[in-house]
Structures are given as C-alpha cells and as structure tokens.
Amino acid sequence: MSEHARPVTRAWVIHPEIPSAESERDPVLALEEAVALAHALPDLEVVGSQVVRLRKPDAGKLFGKGKLEELRQAIEDNEVELVLVDGPVTPVQQRNLEKAWDVKVLDRTGLILEIFSDRAVTREGVLQVEMAALSYQRTRLVRAWTHLERQRGGLGFVGGPGETQIEADRRAIDEQLVRLRRQLEKVVKTRSLHRAARAKVPFPIVALVGYTNAGKSTLFNRLTGAEVMAKDMLFATLDPTMRRIRLPGGGPEVILSDTVGFISDLPTELVASFRATLEEVLAADLICHVRDISHPETVAQAEDVSTILNSLGVKETTPQIEIWNKIDRLDEDARAATLTKAARLDHVQALSAISGQGIDDLVEAIAKALADVTHVTTLHLGFDAGRKRAWLFEKDLVETETQTEDGFDLTVRWTARQEARFKDL
C-alpha cells in the first residue's frame, strides 16, 4: 500500500536545439534519449516533451521572452512540477527559470546525477555519486534561496558582518568533499588489492563497455548465466560486476567484467568520481565494445564511447572486439546486410544477446583475440620442479614436452600474466 502511496512528480522535458552547437545529432533522437533518461528515475511521470530551437541562448534565461511565456503556459496547463532541460544550464539561468515558471528545473548533468544517486548500491558507488553531486552543487549555491544571502556575525553583533551564508555553505561542501575523498581512497585501495589479486590469477580479463542501454548486461547474463539487472532502461547497471567463467562451447576461462554504460555529454564530475570504477577497463586484456546496431545514431554513440575510453587512457595496443548487438530488432534485409558487413570486417561480431544468435561466433572471436595476446616460451625444468610442471599442465599451457637427461624441455604458450604467476611459484 505504501508503495502505491508514493507521490508521482509530473515532468516536462525540453531539448534546446542550438544550430551553432558542435553536436550534429538529430534533435528528435536527442529528445527521445532525454525522455528515456527521465523514465529511468522512479516516481517521475513525463507529461510532455518538446524540441525548442534557439538561434542564440539567452545568457540570463536561456530562452527568449516569447518562448519563455509559451513554455510557462504549457507548464501551467499540464500542472508540471519539474522541468528537465536536456543540455547545460548555468546556475543563473536555472534560478531565473525556476522564478519565471515557479517549478523545479534540472539540467542534463543534474538529471544524470539523480539517476546515479538512485541506482548506487555498493559503498564505492554511493561515495562516488555523493562526491560528484557535491562538486556539482558547489557551483550552484548562487541559485539558492534567501537564507544564503544572510550574513552571520562573529560574537553577537560586535564581530562585524562575518562570512556570508553562501561562503559557509561552500566551505561545508569542501570539508565534506575532503572527508568523502578519504573514505573513497580506502575503498579504492581495497579495489586495487582485489585487482592485484586478480592479476595473480592466470585468467585473462574481458571487459564489456558501451553506450548505456546497448545490451551489455544482457550479453553478460547470456555468457555467464548470472542475473545482473538488465532492463530496457538507461543506466540500469551502475556498479560493475565481475565473474570468473569458462566461456560457452568449450571457450577459454576468463574473468568477465560488466561496466557502467557511457552516454554523450557524460558530466565531468561523474567521469572524475567514477574513474576508479572505470579503471577496471584499463586492466583488461580484451575490451568488447557493445553497440546497439539497431539505434539510428549507433555511429555517434560509438564515437562517444571511444572518446571516453581515450580520456581514461586505454592503450591502443589493447585488443578490442566491436559487438553489433540487437540484430533481432532489424528487419530481414537490414539484418542480412549487417551480418554481411560484419563478416567482412576484422574484430566485428554481429549478434543478438536476447536470442543468442551469433554468441558461438563471439566466443570463438574472444578465444582468438586472447590467443593473439599470448606468446610462446621455451622452458627447461629439472626433475625436482614437479610442482611447476604440474601447474603448467593443469593450466593447459604446454604445447610440446621432451624429456632430457636432467629434466624436461617444454614449449609453453601463455600470457604475460600467466608467466608472472609461474615465476611466483
């Protein structure tokens, strides 16, 4: 009963189309993505959405007088309580729009932060979101209400005007950020220890990356048999998941990592805060870039993912497989053309994570890609190195073995990680 009693907020989504903006994306598709972001928040009902073309953004209110009044009327008629502006809104513009429309206004960054705040589950995720939110709020204290204009005296009324409330609030945020950074450093240290422990395990790490809602978690579940949350919703997965598995159909044993989805114009505060989580990608032996090939802007989405991977410092030498997912959503002709095109391209696999079509070919491609990062070494082991020899055979690393007078000559194919693990034995 209490679940049904939760209040629903009526929201209106606006995508400002600015012709001079660098982005060449279709404004209608951009609006659809913004509405999908809004649907990702619980207890939010999108009662209307529109693209608003702007010749030039107004410095104070973003929209011109006529458009401002037109939007105010629509907001009033539809009893809207929250307006989501799909783009950057300055603190001054946000304050003025809230006064003009008498509703709460959130920009794209604020909306994504709200979604992340709602989804964070692990201790690390919660800390990262809180840090990102505080960094964002720190620049927005200018829009706060009248109590921020108060001035607090020193001792009674004798100590002079003292600091303004806004300065006190900013200092409080800075202190909280320092505390959160310290807590996060401890969590990150734990994560790095886990990463170091995984490095000793002689299994390659395969990381799934991609635009949000490209189907990474569905593919992860298909490959691992896990039950990671997979919904047709932006940012359904926030905290990274890792599983040690043997890939289906006799594939190699790997550690598979499902990471948070990327999105265009991902807030810089979030990229900074989630760097520790995203760094899992840097440790990967193979990166699988999952694309929703049925999406009209799949190329632009792929470019956004590449930009974020480059900003994280992913090495060009790290092998990548591009996975064209959701071919089941294409019509028969488009699907046939996509499969033909994918077959011609190296390191591209077309599949459907939902139906399972193409999964066997992907497993084969992963095995081949991981084989590409292995190297061959010739070893000589004495008769007294029985433990090392047994380990090599247990891990199926020995290609040939010849017995000699004083031991064994072995040809071993392994990765750098496996070689390091062998030397530690």
Side-chain angles (χ1 to χ4, degrees):
M1 287 294 290
S2 59
E3 195 67 31
H4 293 293
R6 290 172 68 174
V8 173
T9 304
R10 294 170 66 82
W12 193 274
V13 182
I14 299 170
H15 174 74
E17 184 194 353
I18 306 168
S20 59
E22 291 178 15
S23 176
E24 296 176 6
R25 290 195 161 179
D26 185 329
V28 175
L29 293 173
L31 180 65
E32 280 179 18
E33 182 178 275
V35 171
L37 277 171
H39 284 309
L41 267 183
D43 307 319
L44 205 66
E45 182 190 358
V46 178
V47 295
S49 61
Q50 66 188 103
V51 174
V52 177
R53 189 173 175 82
L54 300 174
R55 276 202 301 266
K56 186 182 176 186
D58 183 273
K61 294 182 179 177
L62 187 62
F63 307 103
K65 281 184 183 177
K67 185 55 71 175
L68 203 67
E69 178 55 30
E70 183 189 317
L71 288 167
R72 187 196 67 76
Q73 195 61 53
I75 288 164
E76 200 173 284
D77 292 347
N78 290 276
E79 299 177 354
V80 173
E81 302 161 88
L82 172 68
V83 173
L84 303 169
V85 180
D86 182 39
V89 178
T90 67
V92 171
Q93 288 170 340
Q94 189 171 356
R95 180 187 61 188
N96 289 338
L97 288 174
E98 286 181 344
K99 280 183 178 177
W101 294 337
D102 194 27
V103 292
K104 172 78 177 161
V105 173
L106 266 184
D107 67 356
R108 184 181 176 88
T109 299
L111 174 59
I112 293 173
L113 284 170
E114 288 285 343
I115 295 167
F116 273 49
S117 178
D118 181 64
R119 297 280 160 76
V121 176
T122 63
R123 175 71 175 144
E124 183 179 16
V126 171
L127 287 171
Q128 287 168 330
V129 171
E130 204 173 330
M131 274 185 65
L134 285 171
S135 301
Y136 173 73
Q137 285 168 11
R138 190 184 185 282
T139 63
R140 308 218 149 225
L141 290 175
V142 67
R143 75 173 179 83
W145 296 268
T146 51
H147 82 278
L148 295 185
E149 293 158 13
R150 290 202 313 265
Q151 299 222 323
R152 297 192 314 183
L155 299 169
F157 294 99
V158 185
E163 63 180 350
T164 60
Q165 186 69 38
I166 194 169
E167 288 165 349
D169 285 13
R170 190 167 283 142
R171 197 183 69 251
I173 284 178
D174 288 341
E175 288 169 359
Q176 178 67 357
L177 276 169
V178 170
R179 276 196 298 274
L180 287 171
R181 270 193 204 101
R182 283 188 193 135
Q183 291 175 48
L184 189 58
E185 277 168 14
K186 290 178 186 172
V187 180
V188 169
K189 200 175 284 182
T190 306
R191 182 179 279 282
S192 63
L193 288 172
H194 289 168
R195 198 179 289 137
R198 281 198 299 274
K200 290 181 181 177
V201 176
F203 302 116
I205 296 173
V206 178
L208 299 179
V209 302
Y211 206 80
T212 182
N213 212 30
K216 295 181 303 300
S217 296
T218 306
L219 179 60
F220 184 86
N221 291 344
R222 167 73 64 176
L223 292 171
T224 63
E227 292 182 2
V228 171
M229 181 182 174
K231 283 189 178 180
D232 185 14
M233 179 194 287
L234 301 190
F235 297 119
T237 307
L238 182 57
D239 292 298
T241 311
M242 307 193 87
R243 291 280 188 283
R244 172 184 156 186
I245 59 152
R246 181 171 290 283
L247 290 171
E253 198 162 2
V254 300
I255 293 173
L256 194 64
S257 169
D258 181 21
T259 60
V260 61
F262 301 154
I263 196 167
S264 64
D265 305 320
L266 190 67
T268 51
E269 295 93 349
L270 271 179
V271 175
S273 297
F274 274 77
R275 190 171 183 87
T277 303
L278 296 172
E279 276 175 358
E280 291 292 351
V281 178
L282 297 179
D285 295 291
L286 173 67
I287 293 173
C288 289
H289 175 188
V290 184
R291 285 174 57 180
D292 176 358
I293 204 66
S294 68
H295 196 281
E297 295 198 320
T298 182
V299 174
Q301 291 181 350
E303 286 170 1
D304 286 327
V305 172
S306 297
T307 301
I308 294 172
L309 288 177
N310 290 335
S311 72
L312 287 171
V314 172
K315 295 176 187 170
E316 288 182 13
T317 53
T318 305
Q320 291 192 29
I321 293 176
E322 199 168 277
I323 298 171
W324 293 359
N325 189 26
K326 303 192 183 182
I327 57 170
D328 55 291
R329 291 192 176 187
L330 300 172
D331 61 51
E332 205 170 314
D333 292 343
R335 189 182 312 145
T338 300
L339 288 169
T340 304
K341 187 179 177 183
R344 286 202 209 103
L345 296 168
D346 288 338
H347 307 303
V348 171
Q349 295 294 318
L351 55 81
S352 167
I354 284 282
S355 70
Q357 181 185 351
I359 293 292
D360 292 343
D361 291 338
L362 172 64
V363 171
E364 196 177 312
I366 289 174
K368 188 179 174 187
L370 292 174
D372 289 343
V373 297
T374 60
H375 61 280
V376 175
T377 308
T378 303
L379 296 174
H380 177 77
L381 296 178
F383 289 117
D384 59 345
R387 182 174 169 231
K388 287 188 173 183
R389 181 170 169 269
W391 185 86
L392 290 170
F393 276 99
E394 181 192 330
K395 302 302 176 190
D396 199 21
L397 303 176
V398 180
E399 289 197 335
T400 63
E401 181 192 57
T402 307
Q403 187 170 337
T404 62
E405 290 181 1
D406 59 343
F408 302 92
D409 288 334
L410 302 98
T411 306
V412 179
R413 178 176 288 279
W414 53 12
T415 63
R417 181 180 284 108
Q418 289 168 328
E419 185 175 5
R421 178 73 184 98
F422 174 80
K423 287 175 180 174
D424 288 340
L425 288 173

